[in-house]
Structure formats: structure tokens, C-alpha cells
């Protein structure tokens, strides 16, 4: 463990992280694209073209390798796609090939090649297709009455319910989601129509084709869980399983782990980082402001998520404010996060209890 961050003070290179979730041929809006997480092909083309013109874009593993070798160029960036939506194969992949941009695809391995759906997609589809004019739910701490007369009210309900459910422990989330779906008239979630093609997951043939074309396939855990909420044994198995599945399916090393629901320390923390390192990952990726001061011992990286709502000006502003960001990072606030190493976990890595099977996460 390297605890003296000053040892690398003169070897830090600024690296920008740009991340996306899904990508679609045509723009999607409303409940089909809450928070604009699926970016349309036209906007993605504009953003990637600009990025390739102004930065040296590399995969995360390449950035770390070149940094260790001491030849990481200035103005370097990486592009990462999370969540394993099939649109990233149909829309983003051809664009990346055409523009010659390497990228990282970070997939939740339990969902690849299945018809499983993220619970947020189930919620949005339930709100989109319900015939109810109101949804009234009572959670322990408060009651919510949500009008559903107009598309705008339904979108508002989707955002509010997300905020309410997202950070609950898994069993609470499942119980409350079932309560909401029942209130919307869906006693059987399997009967809820899908949002559309853009909700489909990648399959392993698509993942392999991308891997062979130079896309780095990384982990987004096995079942897309919030690691900071899980016990150490589950975190270990989530990380280890997804890494082994990716390596077996692609025949290539799986070097990067991206935490679902992304920010530090809500999604991952010092303790989960230590597990990730012990499992064999070379780097973990968080979703915060995408400015990194990379040095030879860097283990954490961060990326800014862009989506359908972001114009090229948003991207330019976010990336060009780097002087201010570097000052911030060199200050106390982010320095702890960006330092060379991570704290010891509550249990040392070799004492983390191992479990052999994961529970079911009802996302199908
Ligand atoms: Zn995700």
C-alpha cells in the first residue's frame, strides 16, 4: 500500500471520464427515457466526434498502462457505457468503430442474454401503461398520493418514486416496488408491457463481437447491486462472479469494475474498493465529476454521465472547466477521494466470509 501521495505529485495526468448509459437510434422522451439516460444516435455522434477531435481517447486499461509506463499524453479521455443495454451494440458500437474511438462497456453479467429488466424500467413501464388516474402508496415513514392524469404527472411520479425507492435496502425496495405496482394495477409484474426495444439487454454474441473489435468489457457487478449496501461476502461474490463470467465469455481479461448507481461513498466505498482490488480488478469507476488526476497507483476513476438532455455545450463546459476542477481536486474536499490508496476494510480481505450463491434479485 502506498500512503504517501506526494510521491506521485509530479506524475499526475489529467484524464477526463465521459460516460453514457443507453443509446437509441431515435430520440426517446418522457417515461421512455427518464433522466435522458438513453442518448440518441445524432447527439452521441456530435459528442463523440468533438471528443475525438480534442482528446486522445483510450480504454481505461490503456490509460492505466500508459500511465505506469510514463507515456500517458496530456488531454486524454475515456468513454464508458454502463448497464448493458443492447442499444449500445446497435447504435453506439458502429459509431465508435466509424470514429475509431476505443471504449469500455460495463455490463451486469446476470442480465446479459436474458429478458431481465432493471426495476426502474419496470416502474416506468408500469406508470406509462397503467389505466389508473392516481397512485396512493403508504410507506412506513410517509404516504404518497400521486396524480397520474397527464404524461407530465406520470413522469413526475416516476422521478419521485425513484428517489424514494432507490437507496432502500434490497428487500425493502422489492416490497415497496411490489406495493407501487399493485397500486398501478399490476399484481403480476410480468404482465407489464416493455418500454420498447431500447430496454433490451445485450446478449453474449454481441458482447463478444465488441470485445473482438477492441471494446474493453468490464463489470457492472453481476446483478447490478449497490455494493455499499451489501455485506462483504455478497460484494465479493458479485465482483468475482461477474469478472469470471466476462473472462470466460470473451476470452479477455476483465480489468475494470463500475459501481451501479455510481457515486462515492453511496455506491462503493473504501471497504468495497479493497474487495475489488483483492478480487483482481485494476480499477473501479464511480460516477461523479469526470476529472481525474491519474498517477501510476491510481485505483479509482470517475466519469461524468451525459445523456439525451445534454447538448455539446454541456459537454464542452463540463470538460473545459478543468482548471477549476483541478484546483478543487488538489484541495481537501476531493483529495481524500483521489489519493493513492484506499483504507483497510472493516475485515481484512482474506478474512471476508465467502458465500457461494447469490440471492435472487427480482428484476425479470
Ligand atoms: Zn447501472
Amino acid at each position: 500500500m502506498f500512503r504517501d501521495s506526494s510521491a506521485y505529485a509530479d506524475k499526475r495526468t489529467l484524464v477526463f471520464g465521459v460516460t453514457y448509459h443507453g443509446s437509441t437510434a431515435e430520440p426517446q422522451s418522457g417515461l421512455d427515457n427518464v433522466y435522458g439516460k438513453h442518448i440518441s444516435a445524432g447527439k452521441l455522434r456530435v459528442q463523440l466526434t468533438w471528443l475525438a477531435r480534442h482528446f486522445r481517447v483510450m480504454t481505461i486499461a490503456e490509460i492505466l498502462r500508459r500511465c505506469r509506463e510514463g507515456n500517458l499524453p496530456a488531454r486524454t479521455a475515456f468513454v464508458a457505457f454502463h448497464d448493458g443495454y443492447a442499444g449500445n451494440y446497435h447504435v453506439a458500437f458502429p459509431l465508435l468503430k466509424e470514429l475509431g474511438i476505443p471504449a469500455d462497456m460495463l455490463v451486469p453479467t446476470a442480465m446479459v442474454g436474458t429478458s431481465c429488466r432493471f426495476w426502474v424500467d419496470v416502474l416506468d413501464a408500469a406508470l406509462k401503461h397503467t389505466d389508473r388516474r392516481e397512485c396512493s402508496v403508504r410507506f412506513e415513514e410517509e404516504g404518497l398520493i400521486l396524480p397520474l392524469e397527464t404524461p407530465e404527472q406520470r413522469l413526475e411520479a416516476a422521478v419521485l418514486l425513484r428517489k424514494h425507492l432507490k437507496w432502500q435496502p434490497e428487500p425493502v425496495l422489492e416490497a415497496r416496488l411490489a406495493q407501487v405496482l399493485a397500486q398501478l394495477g399490476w399484481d403480476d409484474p410480468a404482465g407489464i408491457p416493455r418500454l420498447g426495444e431500447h430496454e433490451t439487454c445485450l446478449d453474449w454474441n454481441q458482447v463478444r463481437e465488441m470485445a473482438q473489435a477492441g471494446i474493453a468489457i468490464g463489470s457492472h457487478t453481476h446483478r447490478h447491486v449497490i455494493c455499499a449496501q451489501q455485506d462483504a461476502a455478497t460484494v465479493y461474490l458479485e465482483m468475482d462472479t461477474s469478472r469470471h463470467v466476462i473472462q470466460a465469455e470473451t476470452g479477455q481479461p476483465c480489468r475494470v469494475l463500475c459501481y451501479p448507481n455510481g457515486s462515492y461513498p453511496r455506491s462503493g466505498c473504501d471497504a468495497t474498493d479493497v474487495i475489488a482490488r483483492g478480487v483482481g480488478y485494476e480499477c473501479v469507476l464511480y460516477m461523479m465529476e469526470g476529472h481525474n488526476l491519474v498517477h501510476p497507483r491510481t485505483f479509482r476513476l470517475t466519469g461524468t454521465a451525459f445523456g439525451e438532455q445534454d447538448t455539446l455545450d454541456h459537454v464542452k463546459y463540463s470538460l473545459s472547466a478543468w482548471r477549476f476542477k483541478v484546483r478543487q481536486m488538489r484541495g481537501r474536499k476531493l483529495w481524500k477521494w483521489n489519493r493513492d490508496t484506499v483504507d483497510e476494510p472493516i475485515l481484512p480481505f482474506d478474512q471476508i466470509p465467502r458465500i457461494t450463491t447469490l440471492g435472487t434479485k427480482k428484476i425479470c
Side-chain angles (χ1 to χ4, degrees):
M1 291 281 188
F2 286 70
R3 295 205 173 270
D4 180 12
S5 43
S6 62
Y8 293 108
D10 57 344
K11 293 185 182 164
R12 293 173 192 272
T13 307
L14 186 71
V15 171
F16 296 116
V18 174
T19 72
Y20 299 98
H21 288 83
S23 41
T24 52
E26 299 298 326
Q28 302 288 330
S29 60
L31 284 165
D32 287 310
N33 197 9
V34 177
Y35 292 144
K37 71 175 177 178
H38 297 273
I39 187 166
S40 54
K43 280 197 166 167
L44 185 61
R45 172 183 288 280
V46 169
Q47 293 184 12
L48 291 180
T49 304
W50 181 84
L51 199 68
R53 194 174 295 148
H54 293 89
F55 294 87
R56 295 284 302 277
V57 185
M58 299 176 199
T59 63
I60 291 170
E62 174 80 357
I63 286 172
L64 297 177
R65 185 182 64 77
R66 293 191 60 167
C67 186
R68 283 194 297 269
E69 291 171 357
N71 61 359
L72 184 63
R75 295 186 75 82
T76 300
F78 64 84
V79 178
F81 292 81
H82 320 171
D83 285 353
Y85 285 112
N88 292 336
Y89 170 81
H90 295 297
V91 178
F93 178 47
L95 201 50
L96 292 165
K97 276 196 293 189
E98 181 193 326
L99 298 172
I101 296 179
D104 288 73
M105 292 267 175
L106 305 148
V107 299
T109 40
M111 298 184 71
V112 176
T114 73
S115 57
C116 286
R117 312 158 77 176
F118 290 101
W119 70 264
V120 287
D121 289 337
V122 174
L123 174 67
D124 298 342
L127 284 162
K128 181 181 171 185
H129 295 291
T130 185
D131 54 8
R132 304 291 160 90
R133 291 284 167 257
E134 188 179 278
C135 170
S136 119
V137 281
R138 171 149 288 283
F139 301 136
E140 261 166 42
E141 61 273 35
E142 63 179 313
L144 297 174
I145 299 174
L146 306 166
L148 305 173
E149 298 280 351
T150 65
E152 291 75 23
Q153 287 175 338
R154 291 178 182 221
L155 186 57
E156 254 177 61
V159 171
L160 206 145
L161 286 166
R162 248 182 187 71
K163 284 183 182 157
H164 203 90
L165 296 172
K166 192 169 193 171
W167 300 103
Q168 299 295 337
E170 215 172 288
V172 178
L173 189 155
E174 285 181 9
R176 292 186 177 187
L177 180 64
Q179 190 192 338
V180 170
L181 297 180
Q183 276 292 312
L184 295 171
W186 305 105
D187 289 325
D188 177 14
I192 303 169
R194 297 181 81 85
L195 283 173
E197 270 304 296
H198 63 289
E199 196 196 285
T200 311
C201 287
L202 290 163
D203 64 39
W204 284 112
N205 286 331
Q206 293 166 341
V207 173
R208 272 188 289 274
E209 188 184 330
M210 291 193 286
Q212 279 153 18
I215 301 287
I217 308 299
S219 167
H220 199 33
T221 73
H222 190 53
R223 299 173 304 147
H224 200 268
V225 295
I226 299 177
C227 290
Q229 287 183 350
Q230 309 289 328
D231 59 75
T234 305
V235 172
Y236 174 88
L237 198 58
E238 283 284 341
M239 292 180 179
D240 193 50
T241 304
S242 61
R243 184 163 174 269
H244 279 106
V245 169
I246 287 167
Q247 292 183 162
E249 292 285 352
T250 65
Q252 293 183 11
C254 171
R255 297 189 158 104
V256 177
L257 170 85
C258 173
Y259 285 107
N261 291 304
S263 64
Y264 177 89
R266 262 187 138 177
S267 309
C269 54
D270 287 1
T272 58
D273 285 357
V274 172
I275 300 173
R277 197 196 286 270
V279 162
Y281 290 101
E282 293 173 25
C283 169
V284 290
L285 179 60
Y286 287 90
M287 289 308 96
M288 291 159 68
E289 289 291 343
H291 302 74
N292 302 278
L293 290 173
V294 175
H295 55 82
R297 296 290 297 180
T298 288
F299 188 68
R300 286 176 182 152
L301 288 175
T302 180
T304 304
F306 295 105
E308 184 63 17
Q309 73 283 4
D310 294 307
T311 63
L312 180 59
D313 280 345
H314 282 118
V315 180
K316 284 182 187 174
Y317 175 77
S318 174
L319 297 188
S320 64
W322 65 273
R323 281 178 204 282
F324 169 72
K325 297 293 175 193
V326 168
R327 263 208 311 275
Q328 249 193 351
M329 289 165 74
R330 290 199 193 282
R332 273 192 305 247
K333 198 173 159 206
L334 286 177
W335 185 249
K336 181 175 180 292
W337 186 84
N338 195 250
R339 67 181 188 269
D340 302 296
T341 187
V342 292
D343 288 343
E344 295 296 334
I346 300 158
L347 283 175
F349 178 73
D350 56 6
Q351 287 178 30
I352 290 168
R354 304 290 153 80
I355 54 174
T356 52
T357 53
L358 291 165
T360 54
K361 187 155 180 264
K362 296 188 182 75
I363 43 178
C364 295

